[in-house]
Amino acid sequence: MGYGFSSIHPLPSFLYYIGAIIFTMTFYHPVFLLSGLFILIIINLIQDKGKKLKSYSKFYLFMGLIIVILNPIISSRGETVLFYVFDKVITLESFLYGICTMLSLISIMILFLSYNIIITDDKFMYLFSGILPNTSFLIMMTMRFVPLFKSRAEEIAIVQKLKGGEYYKNSFKEKIKEGMQILSILVTWSLEDSIQTARSMRSRGYGIVKDRSFYFNYKMSALDIIVLIAIIILIFILLISWNMNLFSYQIYPKVQSIKFDFKTTLFFILYSLYMGIPIIIEGIDKMKWHK
């Protein structure tokens, strides 16, 4: 089923994304975050040729710039003063922390793009429906509504425009009014759809039988087991090393210079290896099919 990283069993795939999110939120080092972001962009380019990333790129850059600008203004922590803005101290440390936060946030959002491609609804339900049937179903439905809302909002905006609305030419006040109308239609449409879905599920007897069957029956292959073991070992080593301060980088109170000694280099290689697991699996599959 599938090709490359999407063909891997749901358990190692899901575990990979959990580990990648933890590392992206934990390792606040500019080089680590930049390399992680670069690897995640390559993964997205391999998985869907960057289509989703391209559609969200402007929003990601906007969010990132807001963080970089706001963090030095809000926080005056740090010893290295760069300049003053209306008697407000702007420090190098708070500016660098803002950049690291931006890289971390963008990486996580790109990671979720890849997650939505790989961890399908069937895989998610396969993993959690036996343990948490109601919670897993609720999470799956909630995650489904984000792209669904976006798609429906675009459809409604097109219909409103065809009906004579001049959304792009209106004043700011009129744009807000039309936006509220679109939101009202969107909420009504979604509530009606939710009622239909609930009735359909009830008529089909969802939740009556305890031992739920699955449309896809995932089985662990030898490659899946190897990938699972590799992911667990790398997560364990990286977290233990970080907890023992074998790798550390300090921004506050005074930013450290970036140095790569033997331990940091080894840590960086293991980190890159972990983040690049989907690329390695895609490469193995390509070599296998092109022999």
Side-chain angles (χ1 to χ4, degrees):
M1 287 181 283
Y3 177 86
F5 196 55
S6 63
S7 65
I8 294 295
H9 190 275
L11 181 59
S13 304
F14 186 79
L15 198 59
Y16 165 80
Y17 288 105
I18 295 294
I21 290 171
I22 292 171
F23 296 153
T24 306
M25 293 175 69
T26 307
F27 304 152
Y28 258 51
H29 189 298
V31 177
F32 280 65
L33 288 169
L34 264 176
S35 62
L37 179 61
F38 181 68
I39 292 169
L40 291 172
I41 289 171
I42 292 175
I43 291 170
N44 270 268
L45 289 174
I46 291 171
Q47 289 173 343
D48 72 339
K49 298 181 180 176
K51 289 178 185 173
K52 286 190 174 181
L53 180 59
K54 193 178 176 183
S55 65
Y56 288 99
S57 58
K58 288 182 182 175
F59 172 70
Y60 291 170
L61 288 173
F62 174 75
M63 289 293 293
L65 280 173
I66 291 290
I67 292 169
V68 172
I69 293 167
L70 284 183
N71 192 65
I73 296 171
I74 295 169
S75 171
S76 298
R77 291 179 66 195
E79 294 180 358
T80 313
V81 178
L82 290 177
F83 51 86
Y84 290 85
V85 176
F86 301 113
D87 294 332
K88 182 78 177 175
V89 179
I90 304 296
T91 63
L92 175 65
E93 287 77 13
S94 61
F95 183 68
L96 185 62
Y97 194 85
I99 290 175
C100 288
T101 306
M102 176 194 72
L103 293 172
S104 175
L105 182 70
I106 292 176
S107 298
I108 288 171
M109 289 192 288
I110 293 176
L111 197 61
F112 270 103
L113 291 181
S114 171
Y115 172 90
N116 285 328
I117 295 170
I118 300 299
I119 307 295
T120 58
D121 295 344
D122 283 314
K123 288 182 178 178
F124 189 84
M125 290 300 285
Y126 175 82
L127 285 173
F128 296 104
S129 63
I131 312 166
L132 302 165
N134 294 329
T135 309
S136 60
F137 185 74
L138 185 65
I139 292 170
M140 192 195 72
M141 291 288 286
T142 308
M143 292 180 74
R144 171 180 169 268
F145 268 110
V146 177
L148 187 66
F149 270 29
K150 184 175 178 285
S151 171
R152 284 179 175 175
E154 288 172 355
E155 284 182 42
I156 296 166
I158 291 168
V159 172
Q160 292 289 91
K161 190 179 177 183
L162 290 173
K163 284 172 66 180
E166 297 290 335
Y167 181 78
Y168 298 103
K169 294 178 183 175
N170 288 339
S171 63
F172 182 70
K173 189 179 176 181
E174 287 170 332
K175 281 182 179 178
I176 290 176
K177 192 179 175 182
E178 288 194 13
M180 291 304 292
Q181 284 178 348
I182 291 173
L183 183 64
S184 173
I185 297 168
L186 181 64
V187 171
T188 308
W189 186 5
S190 302
L191 285 173
E192 285 177 358
D193 194 50
S194 301
I195 292 167
Q196 286 178 3
T197 306
R199 285 179 177 172
S200 173
M201 289 172 62
R202 190 177 178 184
S203 65
R204 295 178 189 186
Y206 181 83
I208 293 174
V209 183
K210 287 186 179 178
D211 297 327
R212 186 177 182 275
S213 60
F214 299 97
Y215 187 75
F216 293 107
N217 188 19
Y218 298 97
K219 290 182 180 177
M220 278 272 189
S221 66
L223 179 62
D224 295 332
I225 295 169
I226 292 168
V227 173
L228 180 63
I229 293 170
I231 287 172
I232 292 170
I233 290 173
L234 283 171
I235 288 176
F236 181 76
I237 292 172
L238 287 168
L239 288 180
I240 292 293
S241 304
W242 176 75
N243 191 45
M244 293 171 68
N245 287 325
L246 295 179
F247 151 77
S248 64
Y249 180 73
Q250 188 175 310
I251 295 178
Y252 292 117
K254 188 173 177 62
V255 64
Q256 284 183 339
S257 57
I258 297 173
K259 291 178 182 176
F260 267 72
D261 54 12
F262 175 73
K263 289 177 184 175
T264 309
T265 306
L266 185 62
F267 194 90
F268 178 73
I269 291 169
L270 292 175
Y271 170 77
S272 302
L273 186 66
Y274 181 89
M275 296 298 286
I277 284 174
I279 300 174
I280 296 168
I281 294 169
E282 294 282 346
I284 291 170
D285 263 14
K286 279 196 176 180
M287 286 172 66
K288 191 193 298 179
W289 290 104
H290 286 83
K291 270 186 178 179

